[in-house]
Amino acid sequence: MADVSWLVTGTRSGRPIVVAPGGADPSDAVVRVDAALDGFAGPVPRWYRATEQIGYWWVAIWVVLAVAVTLTTSPASLPWRIASGMTIGLLVTPISLALYRLVARAQARAAGAGSTDEALRRAADRARPSTPDSARQVAAVLAADPRSERRVHDLAWRAAKPDPAARKELEGLWEKADPERAALAKRQVAQLQAELDQLKADGKA
């Protein structure tokens, strides 16, 4: 990704986000867009952020709890109680994390917009989701011509609207800045399209 302040990678979604040229501080809008791209229509609840920070320790926590339960309630032999407790803990961990995420999303939706699409629309005047392709193109163009940053910023911002004309102009600058990679990308797209056309002709798509 280009090393510019107006094109950032979302810490939650991992998606490129482009901020509006000029204007007010876009930090809050970037956070909201990043959360929306990760499925949260409003602010991510603090308790859920805390559970995320625990990370892989959730596995150990659930395994210890499950083993403790089986040791005190199961009539099986000690090795079987330990083994079954560990198995239960490993099974419960992903289920519990999925449930936490569902609850957190519902809470975020209640505290924010009605949907992630609405959240993105609300922030669209200050921050918009971009694409990995756009980020790579911006990086290539700016590496070849750093003085074009203002123009490239405007194109990346409008392309994220999306604006087909801005998207085409940005691609044109990229083709000039990195013709080899641009040609390779075009060949790959053409090959993929040919495969899709063949699948359709065969009645498989």
Side-chain angles (χ1 to χ4, degrees), residues 68-92:
V69 171
T70 56
L71 284 175
T72 57
T73 61
S74 175
S77 64
L78 181 60
W80 277 106
R81 280 183 286 173
I82 294 175
S84 60
M86 294 179 65
T87 301
I88 292 171
L90 292 173
L91 291 174
V92 169

Side-chain angles (χ1 to χ4, degrees), residues 151-197:
R151 179 187 178 190
V152 173
H153 186 181
D154 177 67
L155 290 175
W157 173 250
R158 290 193 288 121
K161 189 174 182 178
D163 180 337
R167 169 78 265 162
K168 185 175 181 180
E169 187 174 348
L170 180 59
E171 288 181 351
L173 293 177
W174 173 54
E175 290 171 359
K176 293 179 180 178
D178 194 351
E180 291 185 4
R181 185 162 296 182
L184 175 60
K186 282 189 174 183
R187 289 196 298 270
Q188 291 173 336
V189 170
Q191 182 179 353
L192 178 59
Q193 186 60 53
E195 292 174 355
L196 290 174
D197 292 342

Side-chain angles (χ1 to χ4, degrees), residues 62-154:
W62 278 110
V63 167
V64 169
L65 288 174
V67 169
V69 171
T70 56
L71 284 175
T72 57
T73 61
S74 175
S77 64
L78 181 60
W80 277 106
R81 280 183 286 173
I82 294 175
S84 60
M86 294 179 65
T87 301
I88 292 171
L90 292 173
L91 291 174
V92 169
T93 299
I95 296 173
S96 66
L97 292 176
L99 289 175
Y100 292 158
R101 187 171 177 84
L102 285 175
V103 173
R105 283 181 170 181
Q107 184 177 340
R109 187 165 57 249
S115 68
T116 54
D117 287 341
E118 183 180 346
L120 292 174
R121 286 194 296 270
R122 288 184 180 182
D125 61 335
R126 290 195 293 159
R128 298 170 182 169
S130 187
T131 66
D133 284 343
S134 290
R136 286 191 291 268
Q137 291 166 3
V138 165
V141 173
L142 293 183
D145 183 11
R147 293 174 298 178
S148 65
E149 181 177 345
R150 180 175 295 184
R151 179 187 178 190
V152 173
H153 186 181
D154 177 67

